[in-house]
Amino acid sequence: MAAQPRILIIYTGGTIGMIENPETKALQPFDFSHLIDNVPKIKMLDFRIDNIQFVPIDSSDMDEHGWAQIATAIRDNYDRYDGFVVLHGTDTMAYTASALSFMLGNLHKPVIITGSQLPIGEVRTDGEENLITALQIAAARNCAGEPMVQEVAILFENYLWRGNRSTKMSADNFNAFKSNNYPRLARIGLGINYEEDHLLRHKERLPLDVRTVMDPAVMFIELNPGMTPATLRHLLATPGIKGIVLRTFGAGNGPTADWFLDEIRAAVDRGIVIVNVTQCVNGGVHSKRYVSGDRLLSAGVISGHDMTSEAAITKLMYLFGLGLIPAEVACRIEENICGEITV
Ligand code: ASP
């Protein structure tokens, strides 16, 4: 590694770089030079920092094309930089973090995603601290001289979380993210205290393998008490759909009525891969705990175990993007690819 860490910032938009529209007073995306001008302290870091700026968006507009753009930028610059900081809106940050974790196969360098709840131009912004800390984490090395973080992670306020285990928990708090089924990777206080046992480490160092095709033919179905046969039938008949994340009750439970299970089984028989993920923020699917979960399993629904909804849906997009047939996708959903699932 060169004496001076080389970090690439990839700016995609989000509140961190937004300014107020003078007429409507609503926040709208703005350019990177405005953002960086508001962080003069960045010059105190003895890093070489370059940037790539995309057309800035509110992350509610993020999709598989945006993810491919970010993954391509990382692939094209992988050898030139020690680490990457992706500036991104918070609304879909956990989806992007999950998607990138699958797309960037054999990643050995830090990809740290951050943003803020208040724009960088506001006096009480959390953006300055988040950006500076993300840069420091992207440059950090362990005692063997290897990158401390070798995975996609979300840095927000006091914590570093594994990207594909994270969820946006608050629309108001500075500590907006949490990983409910996996410990933090670092706690940020006076210092940055890494939990080295929880950081992802590959057994072998293989060349970076970037996949840019994510298949968007997926959707969520959220169960609610009282869901009617007509509603479920309509959702399952969505044209072109290949994969569904079924957001179930508790430990992965759903109605035991025959009509419900018949509809689900018929969709599975048509080749739709249905993954069971709990609506609870903590814990996972235990299909055998209740009859109501076991019946879903018998109908051909795959357990998503303790995956987040964000990880489950982007994993489906990734596996179908590889061109796999439904039976292969169903098999690989339950396998651990990059720390997103406890098996
Ligand atoms: N709507 C914004 C976005 O996700 C929210 C944020 O950045 O905090 O782009």
Side-chain angles (χ1 to χ4, degrees):
M1 183 184 97
Q4 203 185 29
R6 296 157 303 178
I7 310 296
L8 182 67
I9 298 178
I10 300 170
Y11 175 54
T12 70
T15 296
I16 190 163
M18 288 190 186
I19 58 164
E20 207 176 84
N21 180 309
E23 279 154 35
T24 64
K25 303 285 176 219
L27 290 172
Q28 63 184 34
F30 205 59
D31 69 72
F32 185 73
S33 52
H34 153 82
L35 190 156
I36 217 72
D37 287 349
N38 274 282
V39 196
K41 275 191 205 145
I42 221 168
K43 297 194 183 75
M44 291 166 72
L45 297 171
D46 189 20
F47 298 170
R48 199 191 101 195
I49 300 171
D50 296 321
N51 68 81
I52 293 181
Q53 173 178 184
F54 300 152
V55 175
I57 56 168
D58 185 299
S59 75
S60 306
D61 283 321
M62 186 49 77
D63 59 15
E64 73 280 10
H65 305 294
W67 297 334
Q69 245 189 319
I70 303 169
T72 303
I74 292 171
R75 182 192 62 200
D76 293 349
N77 291 284
Y78 194 66
D79 295 332
R80 283 199 285 280
Y81 293 92
D82 300 305
F84 302 85
V85 170
V86 179
L87 296 178
H88 194 286
T90 58
D91 290 348
T92 61
M93 189 181 283
Y95 290 91
T96 295
S98 300
L100 289 177
S101 75
F102 300 123
M103 297 166 88
L104 303 172
N106 304 326
L107 183 69
H108 274 99
K109 293 187 179 182
V111 174
I112 312 301
I113 310 184
T114 195
S116 67
Q117 294 279 53
L118 283 177
I120 202 93
E122 296 239 350
V123 182
R124 290 182 53 253
T125 186
D126 50 330
E128 181 178 49
E129 198 178 305
N130 284 347
L131 173 54
I132 300 268
T133 309
L135 288 165
Q136 289 182 319
I137 292 171
R141 300 254 145 186
N142 63 18
C143 49
E146 295 283 311
M148 178 62 87
V149 177
Q150 302 179 17
E151 59 184 293
V152 179
I154 288 182
L155 175 278
F156 225 84
E157 191 73 2
N158 295 118
Y159 300 99
L160 182 73
W161 305 108
R162 173 162 300 160
N164 57 32
R165 293 282 194 159
S166 305
T167 296
K168 182 171 179 180
M169 299 294 292
S170 173
D172 297 320
N173 293 341
F174 284 150
N175 268 313
F177 286 84
K178 198 160 180 219
S179 151
N180 291 296
N181 284 335
Y182 194 79
R184 65 192 181 217
L185 305 182
R187 163 141 175 83
I188 290 85
L190 293 183
I192 301 172
N193 300 306
Y194 295 97
E195 310 278 350
E196 290 202 46
D197 291 350
H198 300 139
L199 290 164
L200 191 71
R201 293 288 182 255
H202 294 287
K203 287 194 192 80
E204 301 175 81
R205 179 175 290 232
L206 298 169
L208 183 73
D209 179 16
V210 178
R211 302 294 170 137
T212 53
V213 179
M214 297 286 272
D215 192 332
V218 299
M219 65 188 276
F220 287 117
I221 294 184
E222 180 96 9
L223 293 186
N224 60 279
M227 180 179 266
T228 65
T231 304
L232 182 65
R233 194 172 309 129
H234 178 77
L235 292 170
L236 291 172
T238 302
I241 215 72
K242 295 181 185 170
I244 290 171
V245 174
L246 186 66
R247 302 219 336 125
T248 57
F249 308 126
N253 306 317
T256 54
D258 286 343
W259 68 263
F260 179 82
L261 294 156
D262 290 346
E263 290 294 345
I264 294 283
R265 195 175 293 107
V268 172
D269 290 346
R270 291 198 299 273
I272 298 178
V273 177
I274 306 184
V275 184
N276 187 351
V277 167
T278 177
Q279 292 175 9
C280 297
V281 290
N282 175 244
V285 170
H286 301 277
S287 305
K288 294 274 177 199
R289 193 176 286 171
Y290 296 92
V291 169
S292 47
D294 196 29
R295 291 228 171 129
L296 276 176
L297 197 65
S298 314
V301 173
I302 316 291
S303 173
H305 299 273
D306 62 350
M307 272 192 290
T308 61
S309 296
E310 295 90 332
I313 199 111
T314 53
K315 195 170 179 178
L316 278 174
M317 294 170 94
Y318 166 74
L319 293 172
F320 279 115
L322 293 179
L324 303 180
I325 58 165
E328 290 168 334
V329 172
C331 229
R332 301 238 355 232
I333 272 289
E334 289 190 87
E335 287 173 9
N336 177 27
I337 296 178
C338 47
E340 76 283 3
I341 191 169
T342 310
V343 283

